[in-house]
Structure formats: structure tokens, C-alpha cells
């Protein structure tokens, strides 16, 4: 409802007298107010912000994001400072000389581990498979009705991510933010074998099927908990799937680009696939040198007697 493409599409259709696109009236009110979106000095909690936003017909979320840049004191949980996906969207505008006080600081390590971990279950991989099927159908539809959109994306990927602004996270697309931006991804064009949408979807299908196979091994009669270094896991993946290591580094940003190009209305439907792409980028980026993390595969049990859920 607040994605740039949805708003633009709604405007175009409204100019023609009708629109099937739904936008958020509170977000529209906030953007229409522009510089007038100010608040009187005071102490505000979430309920106060919601009431103030509703009274002005302004989105309280975007109102808060603007207000924090002018606040003297902010109180929020660890994730807004330590989780890269959240911090880059919320805390990056804070002044460099800000004083940060952590309460219950002994919890920081567990929060950091959680924020920088990727957990993938077998059901997530099934969801990722369905998501890839949806993307494949949508790509076929776009190729038939608006092939220029895919061609424009291809050219963007050739020119590189930084120059084309693909790595500037839009505040309306928080779900596309990534934990990791390796130098190769920042400074190079996306590898040719995953630039075309249909080739990238086939690439991701191989990754998903490989992960399914790995999880089946730990759930079998000779299975159990397995821990591997990123290098060992990556070597086995490349050997089994015949994929190249370099394109794996671009999996997350390539998926983000495709979701934007296809103008996907609900990014939450693709969370499982996004996690797989995030995982692929992690293991390929940090596979060399001293291991910085481990890949742990384990059967977690199941609500069905005699069956396990990796």
C-alpha cells in the first residue's frame, strides 16, 4: 500500500477516473502534509503517537521515524540499534556524538547472535519452492505483457548495483533490507548467469533443492546434529549442484531487485525465499579464512509421532 510503484500506479489510474490500487490514507496524509508534519515538544509513547497521528490523519509509523531525528532522548529495544536490518532503517540518522546506554547489557550477545542468524526449517523450503513457482509465473506474464520492464532490470544489473541505486534501501521496503553487503556486491555488476529473471529462478531452485536434501540426511535413521564450517558447506553445495560460488554472493540483492521489478504487493509472502537467499549470500561471502560462524543442521522433532522436522 505504500510501495512507490503502488502509489504511482494508483495516481495514474486516478487520473483516468478509476483505480483498483489501494493506498494507505494515513501515509498519503503524511506525505501530503510535507514539512507541516511536526509535533509539539513533549514525552510520547506508542499510544500517544498513534492518537496524534490519527487526529492529523498521518501515519504514526512515518511520523515517529521523522520525530526521532529531533528527539533529545529515545528509548527503544536492542534490535533498533544492533540488528543491521532494523538499525539501518531507524538509527542511521542519529548524530554520531549520541550517547547510548544499554540496560541489561548482559543480553547483548544473545541479541546479536539472533539478529545475525538465519534459521531455515523444512517447511520454509517448501514455502520457498511455492514462492519460486509464483515468481516464474509472474515473469512469464510480464514477458508477455511488459517485456521492457524485465529488459530495463537486466540493463540495471549490467551497470552495477551502486550506480543504479539498488542498494539504497527504500523505507517502504523494509523487508528487502539485508544484513550483509560484501564488497563484490557493492562494486561489481551482477554475474551474467543470474541477470535474467528466469535464469535466477532456476538458480534459486537448485539451492532450495540442495538444502532440502541436506536436511533429509539429518532426519534419516543415520542422521543427527551436524555442524559444518561455511567453507565445507559451500564446497559440498558447489560439488553437488554445479553452481558457481560467486553468483551466490549476489543471491539476496538479485532477489530484492526481482521482487521490485515484478512489483510484488506483499513481501511477507516471500520471507522464506528471502531467508534462503540471505543464507546463500552469507555462506559464500564468509567462507574463506577463519570460520566466523557455523552451519548447524539438526532434527527438531515433530508433532507427528515417529517423524522429525529438520
Amino acid at each position: 500500500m505504500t510501495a512507490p510503484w503502488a502509489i504511482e500506479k494508483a495516481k495514474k489510474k486516478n487520473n483516468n477516473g478509476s483505480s483498483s490500487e489501494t493506498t494507505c490514507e494515513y501515509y498519503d496524509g503524511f506525505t501530503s502534509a510535507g514539512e507541516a508534519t511536526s509535533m509539539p515538544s513533549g514525552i510520547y509513547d506508542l499510544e500517544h503517537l498513534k492518537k496524534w497521528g490519527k487526529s492529523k490523519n498521518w501515519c504514526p509509523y512515518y511520523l515517529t521515524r521523522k520525530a526521532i531525528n529531533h528527539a533529545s532522548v529515545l528509548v527503544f529495544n536492542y534490535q533498533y540499534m544492533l540488528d543491521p536490518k532494523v538499525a539501518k532503517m531507524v538509527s542511521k540518522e542519529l548524530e554520531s556524538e549520541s550517547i547510548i546506554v544499554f540496560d541489561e547489557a548482559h543480553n547483548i550477545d544473545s541479541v546479536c547472535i539472533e539478529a545475525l542468524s538465519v534459521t531455515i526449517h523444512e517447511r520454509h523450503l517448501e514455502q520457498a519452492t511455492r514462492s519460486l513457482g509464483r515468481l516464474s509465473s509472474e515473469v512469464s506474464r510480464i514477458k508477455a505483457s511488459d517485456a521492457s520492464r524485465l529488459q530495463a532490470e537486466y540493463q540495471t544489473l549490467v551497470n552495477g548495483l551502486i550506480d543504479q541505486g539498488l542498494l539504497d534501501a527504500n523505507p517502504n521496503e523494509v523487508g528487502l533490507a539485508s544484513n550483509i553487503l560484501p564488497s563484490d556486491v557493492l562494486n561489481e555488476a551482477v554475474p551474467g548467469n543470474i541477470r535474467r529473471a528466469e535464469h535466477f529462478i532456476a538458480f534459486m531452485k537448485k539451492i532450495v533443492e540442495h538444502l532440502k536434501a541436506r536436511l533429509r540426511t539429518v532426519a534419516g535413521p543415520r542422521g543427527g546434529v551436524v555442524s559444518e564450517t561455511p567453507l565445507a558447506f559451500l564446497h559440498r553445495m558447489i560439488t553437488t549442484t554445479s553452481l558457481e560460488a560467486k553468483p551466490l554472493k549476489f543471491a539476496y540483492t538479485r532477489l530484492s531487485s526481482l521482487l521490485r521489478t515484478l512489483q510484488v504487493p506483499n513481501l511477507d509472502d516471500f520471507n522464506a525465499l528471502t531467508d534462503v537467499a540471505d543464507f546463500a549470500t552469507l555462506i559464500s561471502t564468509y567462507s574463506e579464512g577463519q570460520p566466523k560462524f557455523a552451519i548447524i543442521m539438526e532434527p527438531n522433532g515433530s508433532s507427528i509421532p515417529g517423524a522429525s522436522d529438520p
Side-chain angles (χ1 to χ4, degrees):
M1 295 173 70
T2 61
W5 62 265
I7 295 172
E8 185 63 26
K9 186 177 291 186
K11 287 180 179 178
K12 288 181 179 179
K13 290 192 175 182
N14 279 329
N15 290 336
N16 295 330
S18 63
S19 174
S20 60
E21 295 294 328
T22 302
T23 59
C24 174
E25 63 173 295
Y26 293 103
Y27 178 75
D28 294 341
F30 175 80
T31 55
S32 297
E35 294 299 321
T37 53
S38 59
M39 299 171 59
S41 299
I43 300 174
Y44 294 87
D45 61 14
L46 291 178
E47 289 303 317
H48 288 130
L49 290 166
K50 286 168 62 177
K51 289 180 181 179
W52 177 262
K54 189 173 182 178
S55 68
K56 295 287 188 177
N57 204 40
W58 297 342
C59 173
Y61 169 73
Y62 288 98
L63 177 63
T64 303
R65 288 191 52 171
K66 181 175 181 179
I68 62 176
N69 296 321
H70 306 284
S72 299
V73 178
L74 296 173
V75 180
F76 48 48
N77 63 28
Y78 292 140
Q79 280 75 10
Y80 287 98
M81 185 60 63
L82 300 176
D83 188 334
K85 289 185 179 180
V86 181
K88 73 174 64 174
M89 308 299 291
V90 177
S91 304
K92 68 176 184 178
E93 301 297 336
L94 300 182
E95 296 183 8
S96 57
E97 61 267 25
S98 298
I99 298 174
I100 302 172
V101 178
F102 287 101
D103 186 30
E104 300 289 330
H106 59 273
N107 293 320
I108 289 179
D109 56 348
S110 59
V111 173
C112 290
I113 291 172
E114 180 182 355
L116 296 171
S117 296
V118 180
T119 302
I120 300 175
H121 295 276
E122 190 173 37
R123 62 183 178 275
H124 294 155
L125 295 176
E126 294 300 334
Q127 179 61 49
T129 297
R130 290 192 290 271
S131 295
L132 287 168
R134 286 180 57 187
L135 290 180
S136 182
S137 298
E138 187 63 14
V139 167
S140 297
R141 187 185 70 81
I142 295 298
K143 286 178 69 174
S145 62
D146 189 8
S148 60
R149 196 195 307 175
L150 292 172
Q151 184 58 39
E153 184 204 31
Y154 180 89
Q155 189 58 49
T156 295
L157 298 174
V158 171
N159 293 340
L161 300 175
I162 283 185
D163 291 343
Q164 299 303 312
L166 284 180
L167 298 180
D168 295 332
N170 189 296
N172 300 331
E173 298 173 329
V174 179
L176 299 183
S178 173
N179 280 337
I180 35 180
L181 293 174
S183 58
D184 329 38
V185 175
L186 287 171
N187 298 315
E188 295 184 24
V190 171
N193 58 348
I194 60 171
R195 286 179 196 158
R196 295 199 180 281
E198 57 270 33
H199 295 169
F200 174 67
I201 291 173
F203 177 85
M204 289 300 300
K205 284 181 179 178
K206 284 190 175 183
I207 296 175
V208 171
E209 291 305 315
H210 175 75
L211 295 181
K212 286 181 180 179
R214 293 303 311 271
L215 288 183
R216 283 195 293 269
T217 63
V218 302
R222 297 184 179 181
V225 178
V226 176
S227 177
E228 294 184 3
T229 65
L231 181 59
F233 191 94
L234 179 64
H235 176 74
R236 186 163 180 172
M237 176 185 284
I238 292 173
T239 302
T240 304
T241 63
S242 299
L243 295 174
E244 297 178 17
K246 184 174 180 179
L248 290 169
K249 294 183 179 182
F250 292 81
Y252 197 99
T253 46
R254 180 65 187 91
L255 177 61
S256 298
S257 172
L258 182 59
L259 292 174
R260 288 190 181 100
T261 299
L262 298 180
Q263 300 179 351
V264 172
N266 191 351
L267 293 174
D268 289 343
D269 292 344
F270 294 86
N271 281 346
L273 183 59
T274 299
D275 285 342
V276 172
D278 197 10
F279 176 74
T281 301
L282 271 171
I283 62 169
S284 56
T285 301
Y286 300 107
S287 60
E288 299 181 0
Q290 188 70 20
K292 299 176 178 62
F293 60 90
I295 292 93
I296 300 174
M297 294 169 283
E298 58 181 352
N300 290 334
S302 171
S303 58
I304 303 175
S308 57
D309 178 20

